[in-house]
RNA sequence: GGCGCCGUACCCAAGUGGUAAGGGAGCAGUCUGCAAAACUGCGAUGCAGCGGUUCGAACCCGCUCGGCGCCUCCA
């Protein structure tokens, strides 16, 4: 039984979708005017994991994640770079997809754009005016907060409190300082669409209402996003949507915590952010491996809590992931008896029960990972006793199956410690220089290199057989200087890794 | 000013009324030609501090200290 912490109720609610068997969820995506940072990565990954676990639990998931592609910041960026807004948004949508692919975040089933829903937005705005919840001033349309009774329900704020905190210098044409724009008249040179109120563009909040209603219906199950969206964005979405439809909007509201740097929120304005592509660029590991350690790092903390990002934390995550892939390497080997086979099913059963109950408890990924760590330990012990080929395969499959929920452990056995061969994407610090040297970097990780290492490893095994330990140690030292570690197996052969 | 969050071992991190999961790092041991990996053992009598409620509190209540977030764009 899945429980989800619902911002709306302030507690963990039992999750039951409106339509049995199908979950409809909407997550606020990004405004496409710049590269994504780790904070965006966390949000995207967390909701990807929610979706994966719902699917694992047997639900069909209709998952919509939008792109905000009309916005002041986009217009500003386009003007700065003397290009069209379309160029900016196309660039960063592509960048978003690249980043998500490297992170292992699956595309949503629907990825709507604000610019493609102008008719829906205009219609929704008209409805709100017709219902007396919105008013027109010049070419602008505002939502009238005072006319909507439940305002503040999500963020637990009272209208009076908001009034007290409202900034001075608000638009005098607004009837209340908290009234917000549904439609903004266009200034010369800005992108604009026709409307009953003249040429203009939508306000920020209305697009999410229009797109979620369009793709998921007036009432749907889960709405997610970062904590910072609770107010005003999600509060306003609720007001608009419920105001227009008269029905319940999203039933469960999930909000992820921030990624921090030295206890402070990572944000553009503070300048203390790392972009996703920067992390991949700076990583000394190949793309797939960097993605894996990043995922492990991001999921090792429960999604609602704050998460401090640092090189050390990433290194620790890498070491932890190493333990799993060391086990997978053992599982991939042949030989051994079946003395431990009888213990495997009980161990898998224990792990699965623990894993599911952790995930059922508001997607508690750290506890779910602990369950997998438990299985890792159990399987290593059974492997010391001996596991048949069939059992080894079964064990590996179990990690793959449960790991699928966390987007973890899908890599093949030897891939984890490959050297770096990242081909940089645009927007990284040394993108152009690295592109030039990319073929060389990739060559160092190629088959030829692996064959050379393999030959040395074999030579060392021969030396060991002849008890020529001096020569064997020489080879090991030489390989170690290249970052390669050798592990001798009981049968006299060796495995190696970087 | 309003609303809210965080403070658990060297580090990361669960636990939210029944007597401190898990990981990383470290130390010791087993195994090994030596290593590595694996395995075994060690590690908070205590959960920022002080009071209170309770048979019992890291968990509930109050106060204090330290840090942060939202209220303006923000994952």
């Amino acid at each position: 039984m899945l429980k989800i912490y619902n911002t709306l109720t302030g507690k963990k609610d039992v999750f039951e979708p409106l339509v049995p068997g199908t979950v409809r969820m909407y997550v606020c995506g990004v405004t496409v005017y710049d590269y994504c940072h780790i904070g965006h990565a966390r949000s995207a990954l967390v909701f990807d994991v929610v979706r994966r676990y719902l699917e694992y639990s047997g639900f069909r998931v209709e998952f919509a994640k939008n792109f905000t592609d009309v916005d002041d910041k986009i217009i500003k960026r386009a003007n700065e770079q003397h290009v069209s807004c379309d160029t900016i948004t196309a660039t960063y949508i592509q960048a978003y997809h690249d980043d998500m692919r490297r992170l292992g975040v699956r595309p949503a089933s629907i990825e709507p754009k604000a610019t493609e829903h102008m008719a829906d937005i205009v219609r929704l705005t008209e409805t709100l005016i017709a219902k007396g919840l919105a008013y027109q001033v010049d070419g602008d349309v505002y939502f009238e907060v005072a006319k909507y009774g439940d305002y503040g329900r999500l963020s637990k704020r009272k209208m009076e409190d908001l009034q007290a905190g409202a900034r001075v210098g608000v638009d005098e044409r607004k009837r209340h300082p908290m009234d917000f724009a549904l439609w903004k008249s266009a200034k010369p040179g800005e992108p604009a669409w026709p409307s009953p109120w003249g040429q203009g563009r939508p306000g920020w909040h209305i697009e999410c209402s229009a797109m979620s209603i369009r793709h998921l219906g007036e009432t749907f199950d889960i709405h997610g996003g970062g904590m910072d969206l609770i107010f005003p964005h999600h509060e306003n979405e609720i007001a608009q949507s419920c105001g227009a439809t008269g029905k319940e909007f999203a039933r469960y509201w999930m909000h992820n915590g921030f990624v921090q740097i030295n206890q402070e929120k990572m944000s553009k304005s503070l300048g203390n952010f790392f972009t996703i592509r920067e992390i991949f660029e700076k990583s000394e590991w190949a793309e797939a491996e960097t993605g894996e350690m990043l995922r492990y790092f991001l999921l090792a903390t429960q999604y609602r809590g704050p998460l401090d990002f640092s090189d050390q934390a990433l290194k620790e995550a890498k070491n932890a992931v190493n333990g799993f892939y060391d086990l997978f390497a053992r599982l991939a080997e042949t030989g051994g008896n079946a003395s431990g086979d009888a213990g495997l099913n009980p161990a898998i059963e224990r792990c699965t029960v623990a894993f599911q109950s952790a995930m059922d408890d508001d997607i508690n990924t750290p506890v779910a990972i602990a369950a997998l760590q438990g299985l890792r330990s159990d399987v290593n012990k059974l492997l010391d006793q001996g596991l048949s080929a069939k059992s080894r395969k079964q064990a590996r499959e179990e990690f793959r199956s449960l790991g699928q929920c966390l987007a973890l452990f899908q890599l093949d056995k030897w891939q984890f410690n490959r050297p770096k061969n990242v081909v940089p994407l645009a927007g990284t610090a040394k993108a152009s220089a690295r592109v030039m040297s990319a073929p060389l970097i990739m060559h160092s990780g190629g088959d030829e290199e692996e064959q050379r290492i393999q030959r040395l490893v074999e030579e060392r095994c021969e030396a060991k057989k002849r008890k020529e330990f001096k020569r064997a140690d020489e080879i090991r030292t030489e390989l170690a200087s290249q970052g390669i570690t050798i592990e001798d197996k009981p049968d006299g052969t060796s495995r190696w890794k970087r």
Side-chain angles (χ1 to χ4, degrees):
Chain A
M1 186 177 65
L2 174 61
K3 286 185 179 173
I4 287 178
Y5 181 87
N6 188 351
T7 308
L8 208 50
T9 58
K11 57 184 174 56
K12 290 177 189 173
D13 291 335
V14 173
F15 178 75
E16 283 173 39
L18 196 62
V19 178
T22 298
V23 178
R24 288 172 299 188
M25 64 185 280
Y26 184 94
V27 170
C28 288
V30 292
T31 301
V32 280
Y33 73 104
D34 206 348
Y35 295 112
C36 289
H37 56 60
I38 326 283
H40 300 109
R42 183 184 193 191
S43 184
L45 180 63
V46 159
F47 289 107
D48 184 48
V49 165
V50 171
R51 177 232 206 144
R52 285 166 182 264
Y53 187 62
L54 287 167
E55 287 177 347
Y56 170 88
S57 302
F59 293 106
R60 195 169 76 82
V61 181
E62 290 174 29
F63 178 31
K65 181 162 66 177
N66 73 297
F67 285 113
T68 297
D69 60 348
V70 206
D71 175 88
D72 288 348
K73 294 186 291 293
I74 294 169
I75 296 170
K76 183 162 175 272
R77 184 59 62 98
N79 290 338
E80 284 167 5
Q81 300 186 4
H82 307 294
V83 295
S84 69
C85 286
D86 287 349
T87 303
I88 295 291
T89 57
T91 300
Y92 291 108
I93 286 172
Q94 179 61 48
Y96 183 87
H97 283 135
D98 289 340
D99 288 345
M100 291 304 125
R101 181 185 51 72
R102 301 214 286 194
L103 268 176
V105 170
R106 290 163 57 201
S109 35
I110 310 155
E111 298 189 333
K113 301 184 182 83
T115 53
E116 292 171 356
H117 293 76
M118 286 302 160
D120 291 322
I121 290 169
V122 167
R123 199 174 316 119
L124 195 59
T125 305
E126 286 178 316
T127 302
L128 288 167
I129 293 174
K131 290 201 169 188
L133 290 165
Y135 56 93
Q136 185 185 350
V137 183
D138 305 325
D140 299 336
V141 179
Y142 291 101
F143 185 91
E144 187 162 11
V145 168
K147 292 277 174 69
Y148 180 74
D150 245 356
Y151 198 75
R153 183 172 162 226
L154 181 71
S155 56
K156 319 277 187 273
R157 285 155 212 247
K158 299 191 192 80
M159 285 287 285
E160 309 85 75
D161 299 340
L162 291 169
Q163 202 161 4
R167 285 198 307 181
V168 288
V170 291
D171 191 333
E172 305 235 320
R173 302 172 308 164
K174 293 204 285 191
R175 295 178 187 169
H176 185 284
M178 292 316 298
D179 289 354
F180 55 91
L182 298 173
W183 190 262
K184 300 153 101 163
S185 61
K187 298 191 191 81
E190 288 181 353
W193 289 261
S195 82
W197 320 283
Q199 289 287 112
R201 60 194 163 97
W204 175 34
H205 317 294
I206 192 75
E207 61 170 273
C208 286
S209 292
M211 291 188 279
S212 55
I213 289 170
R214 155 67 62 189
H215 295 286
L216 302 176
E218 293 177 337
T219 304
F220 56 94
D221 300 303
I222 297 173
H223 193 131
M227 292 259 183
D228 46 1
L229 297 183
I230 295 172
F231 190 90
H233 185 54
H234 289 162
E235 194 69 60
N236 291 354
E237 271 186 57
I238 292 173
Q240 292 161 352
S241 305
C242 296
T245 68
K247 293 176 185 160
E248 187 181 21
F249 185 46
R251 303 166 62 235
Y252 300 85
W253 288 83
M254 299 179 74
H255 293 97
N256 66 276
F258 299 126
V259 174
Q260 313 183 136
I261 300 285
N262 297 325
Q263 325 284 325
E264 276 189 329
K265 178 184 174 182
M266 181 182 287
S267 73
K268 288 279 168 63
S269 50
L270 284 168
N272 61 346
F273 63 92
F274 294 93
T275 62
I276 295 169
R277 51 194 55 209
E278 236 180 314
I279 301 297
F280 279 92
E281 170 76 2
K282 283 180 186 163
S283 171
E284 57 184 299
W285 305 104
E287 183 171 299
E289 290 71 21
T290 302
E292 189 86 347
M293 65 196 246
L294 214 41
R295 283 191 290 277
Y296 190 98
F297 163 72
L298 291 169
L299 296 174
T301 299
Q302 210 270 346
Y303 76 90
R304 284 190 284 126
L307 174 57
D308 239 60
F309 180 79
S310 68
D311 286 343
Q312 196 213 336
L314 221 46
K315 186 75 171 62
E316 286 181 6
K318 199 260 174 189
N319 287 341
V321 177
N322 263 346
F324 283 99
Y325 280 90
D326 282 342
L327 169 61
F328 301 157
R330 290 185 78 189
L331 288 173
E333 282 158 9
T334 52
N337 57 60
S339 311
D341 274 23
L344 186 60
N345 278 325
I348 286 176
E349 177 64 17
R350 274 196 303 279
C351 174
T352 304
V353 168
F355 182 90
Q356 290 176 355
S357 75
M359 292 298 279
D360 278 345
D361 182 17
D362 194 30
I363 314 295
N364 196 330
T365 52
V367 174
I369 287 173
L372 290 163
Q373 289 283 10
L375 183 61
R376 179 180 76 99
S377 171
D378 287 344
V379 172
N380 263 317
K381 279 175 225 171
L382 294 173
L383 222 32
D384 284 348
Q385 293 172 40
L387 280 180
S388 65
K390 191 180 164 213
S391 290
R392 291 172 192 231
K393 189 165 181 244
Q394 188 193 349
R396 181 65 183 93
E397 279 312 306
E398 191 60 26
F399 282 102
R400 210 179 275 277
S401 160
L402 293 178
Q404 179 68 48
C405 297
L406 307 177
L408 248 27
F409 311 142
Q410 306 303 305
L411 272 43
D412 289 335
K413 53 178 175 155
W414 283 113
Q415 282 186 346
F416 190 72
N417 288 297
R418 275 186 308 167
K420 174 170 183 160
N421 60 357
V422 175
V423 178
L425 301 167
T428 47
K430 295 173 186 164
S432 51
R434 286 304 193 111
V435 167
M436 301 285 285
S437 62
L440 272 175
I441 294 169
M442 292 179 78
H443 181 261
S444 75
D447 290 345
E448 224 171 278
E449 169 77 353
E450 307 228 337
Q451 280 168 21
R452 186 184 67 78
I453 294 164
Q454 191 55 40
R455 275 196 301 275
L456 281 170
V457 171
E458 279 163 19
E459 189 190 332
R460 177 170 167 277
C461 287
E462 293 305 313
K464 272 175 58 189
K465 269 185 204 161
R466 296 191 300 267
K467 306 280 182 196
E468 290 170 14
F469 297 122
K470 191 168 175 241
R471 175 60 189 150
D473 289 349
E474 262 173 32
I475 294 172
R476 186 168 60 197
T477 306
E478 187 191 332
L479 287 173
S481 72
Q482 295 163 41
I484 290 154
T485 308
I486 288 186
E487 294 174 17
D488 292 342
K489 295 188 281 178
D491 65 4
T493 61
S494 307
R495 70 172 82 96
W496 61 272
K497 65 179 188 182
R498 291 180 195 263

